[in-house]
Amino acid sequence: MGVRELGLPERIGSTDSLPSKVTIWEVGPRDGLQNEAEVVPVEVKLEFLDRLAGAGLTTLEATSFVHPKWVPQLADAEEVLARLHRHDGVRYPVLVPNERGLDRALAADVTHIAVFASATETFARRNLNSGLDAQFAMFEPVIGRAREAGLDVRGYVSMCFGDPWEGAVPPEQVVAVGKRLLDAGCSQLSLGDTIGVATAASVERVLDAFTEAGVTIGDLAVHFHDTYGQALANTLAALRKGVTTVDSSAGGLGGCPYAESATGNLATEDLVWLLDGLGVEHGVDLDALVETSVWMAGKLGRPSPSRVVRALAG
Ligand code: HMG
Ligand code: MG
């Protein structure tokens, strides 16, 4: 008999004050697939999105309207959105860097977009061909026009906990970038540990810096890459601070083509296992999700790095 049939993980709950419910922001179809050496066929992307919605995920970051030469893996964004089987109650945000990207997203009838800023100068140059200050000239008209069109806009801040070229990043610098995005009209910030170097201590420090600057904890999401195996510990630290939106990717896919040291995101299955034990509601069917990640691993030709997927797949 498998551990699931035996009722594991045991739903014990926590004596700490934790949110009763967490929204999982699934980034596998975007962050997961933007870094693949081979472009994943549209049919596989569509089935992946369909299976993820079937497993109960209600926020699926579907693709990016970035420059197709910069990220050829997602150059089929129009086709993916045109052929998407949209499930009721599921939102399908997309990444948009600039006004050209917004035009493309509006033509594809999106309702939720995300802009993505950098907390450091070097990554702003490498990822956006821009600069720490200059990047806002690109985002502000995007956010303004998107809001006028009735769209919801999330703002990512990358390199919040360390940068592969600049090292440690001062929390004040992260907060300054995040506040400019909120002031421009973003409804939520996702704090990215792009290269996975955060620890529970640096997560607490950055979240405290935001709340001390007057930002509501409910407006903050966390986005951990799992390079050093800290993503779950970091997530627990964020939950204890009151964060209620956690980004993750099915099977632990992911990375950033413009940050070579970036590896996969926190695996959604690992997150679900943790939330189950803590008694935090999330709405995801773990077995259906594991099945999806096993199927996807078959399509990609390599096993999922997620410990929970590997443990349950057998
Ligand atoms: P650029 O080359 O400076 O663009 O790239 P430009 O504004 O100079 O325009 C050059 C040409 O590209 C023009 O065409 C534009 O129309 C066209 P021309 O007039 O010469 O014929 N163009 C576009 N075409 C299609 N779609 C567009 C677009 N934009 C311009 N959107 C740009 C600047 C921002 C576009 C580029 O740097 C880019 O696409 N960067 C995206 C990189 C990326 O996607 N990185 C991964 C996502 S971020 C991430 O993974 C981190 C995250 O997960 C959080 C975390 O982990 O921390 C979110
Ligand atoms: Mg990422």
Side-chain angles (χ1 to χ4, degrees), residues 12-226:
I12 297 167
S14 172
T15 50
D16 290 351
S17 69
L18 291 176
S20 57
K21 188 173 187 306
V22 155
T23 299
I24 299 180
W25 189 291
E26 169 62 46
V27 297
R30 193 279 302 173
D31 208 336
L33 300 184
Q34 74 182 8
N35 208 36
E36 284 300 312
E38 301 284 328
V39 177
V40 173
V42 175
E43 281 68 25
V44 175
K45 290 178 176 170
L46 293 170
E47 185 171 345
F48 188 36
L49 284 155
D50 200 32
R51 283 172 173 256
L52 292 171
L57 288 152
T58 54
T59 306
L60 300 178
E61 201 165 270
T63 185
S64 290
F65 286 97
V66 296
H67 196 299
K69 288 210 180 96
W70 280 63
V71 184
Q73 292 89 337
L74 303 181
D76 54 12
E78 274 85 357
E79 192 181 350
V80 168
L81 285 185
R83 294 176 54 194
L84 184 65
H85 169 212
R86 288 169 200 263
H87 290 238
D88 286 345
V90 176
R91 47 188 183 165
Y92 296 92
V94 298
L95 251 54
V96 167
N98 55 13
E99 289 199 84
R100 174 82 183 93
L102 180 63
D103 292 338
R104 292 174 58 205
L106 288 171
D109 277 339
V110 306
T111 54
H112 291 71
I113 67 163
V115 296
F116 47 104
S118 170
T120 67
E121 180 70 36
T122 316
F123 191 61
R125 290 192 186 285
R126 289 185 176 246
N127 196 46
L128 294 163
N129 199 20
S130 185
L132 187 54
D133 200 44
Q135 61 185 338
F136 293 99
M138 186 157 62
F139 304 135
E140 279 161 1
V142 171
I143 300 167
R145 278 184 54 206
R147 291 291 304 271
E148 264 173 45
L151 270 53
D152 182 74
V153 186
R154 169 185 241 212
Y156 278 101
V157 185
S158 285
M159 303 296 176
C160 290
F161 306 93
D163 171 287
W165 302 279
E166 299 184 18
V169 181
E172 315 83 72
Q173 197 170 310
V174 179
V175 171
V177 170
K179 282 202 84 169
R180 275 183 83 167
L181 291 175
L182 288 173
D183 290 345
C186 287
S187 60
Q188 181 185 67
L189 291 181
S190 177
L191 307 179
D193 183 17
T194 321
I195 57 168
V197 290
T199 63
S202 56
V203 170
E204 288 173 1
R205 188 175 60 166
V206 168
L207 291 174
D208 286 345
F210 271 101
T211 50
E212 280 157 22
V215 175
T216 310
I217 197 80
D219 292 343
L220 299 175
V222 287
H223 179 104
F224 297 123
H225 286 261
D226 203 21

